[in-house]
Amino acid sequence: FIDSKIDFLVCEVGLGGCFDSTNVVAPLISVLTSVSLEHTEFLGADLYSIAKDKSFISRRNKSFVVASELQEEALKGVRDTVSQIGACLFLATNFLGHELEDLFSELDTEKYSFCSYYKKNLRTSLAVLFVLQQESSFKLSKKDLVYGVGKTFWPGRFDVRVIGDRTVI
């Protein structure tokens, strides 16, 4: 990554947070996108335990953005770990700022079909960008954000293709 002179790296955690190998990375911001009953043999048997474990991706005195719509049990696990680590918790539900909240509403339309399906992830991404812009010299204009979101796609995931005379999703 250093040799490639990248501006930012988005590094996805593999399994959990506490013992994940990606914990060697020193992130500017950590993000928790979801908590569900998965990998219970490693992360715990309930949402509280899983969220508590996953939240160990956060770092002391660094921002930790947590997606909207977490269940209360999971949010309690997040808060317990964050208080232990000393990370700065931001809930994407409550934290976009006026300009990005307006942008979120604007992007939640048919024109941006990717966004309407991934509303929670879009809100979380915008919250991360808001925090990043508050904490650094990194700035994106509304035009940049609209362009980036408009170009976003996930091949194979609600990807609309026309094959012959048939439309396939």
Side-chain angles (χ1 to χ4, degrees):
F1 300 125
I2 291 171
D3 292 343
S4 297
K5 296 183 172 59
I6 62 170
D7 294 317
F8 293 98
L9 166 70
V10 176
C11 181
E12 184 177 6
V13 173
L15 178 67
C18 193
F19 299 108
D20 195 88
S21 61
T22 58
N23 265 333
V24 300
V25 175
L28 297 173
I29 299 172
S30 299
V31 183
L32 178 62
T33 57
S34 67
V35 175
S36 61
L37 291 175
E38 60 183 359
H39 309 298
T40 55
E41 65 275 19
F42 304 107
L43 303 178
D46 52 49
L47 294 177
Y48 170 83
S49 302
I50 293 168
K52 190 168 173 38
D53 188 281
K54 284 186 168 193
S55 295
F56 276 97
I57 64 167
S58 65
R59 298 292 186 270
R60 175 171 304 288
N61 299 321
K62 296 285 187 173
S63 296
F64 183 39
V65 177
V66 175
S68 56
E69 303 169 11
L70 282 191
Q71 293 180 349
E72 192 57 41
E73 178 185 3
L75 195 52
K76 182 171 178 1
V78 168
R79 289 184 196 280
D80 286 353
T81 298
V82 165
S83 68
Q84 179 183 350
I85 290 176
C88 305
L89 179 62
F90 294 99
L91 301 177
T93 310
N94 311 340
F95 193 77
L96 273 190
H98 177 67
E99 185 177 329
L100 289 181
E101 191 63 58
D102 289 346
L103 178 62
F104 177 73
S105 298
E106 183 180 317
L107 292 172
D108 184 21
T109 65
E110 286 299 314
K111 182 179 177 185
Y112 301 100
S113 58
F114 182 87
C115 303
S116 61
Y117 184 74
Y118 292 101
K119 284 169 74 167
K120 184 174 81 169
N121 289 344
L122 174 61
R123 176 175 286 283
T124 304
S125 298
L126 291 175
V128 169
L129 290 172
F130 182 82
V131 171
L132 183 62
Q133 291 183 99
Q134 299 301 308
E135 296 179 351
S136 71
S137 61
F138 176 76
K139 301 292 180 225
L140 283 174
S141 69
K142 181 178 178 180
K143 182 181 174 184
D144 293 332
L145 291 168
V146 170
Y147 177 80
V149 171
K151 292 292 187 181
T152 301
F153 72 99
W154 188 347
R157 177 67 66 110
F158 286 92
D159 191 8
V160 180
R161 304 279 175 126
V162 177
I163 302 172
D165 61 344
R166 299 177 68 184
T167 300
V168 179
I169 300 176

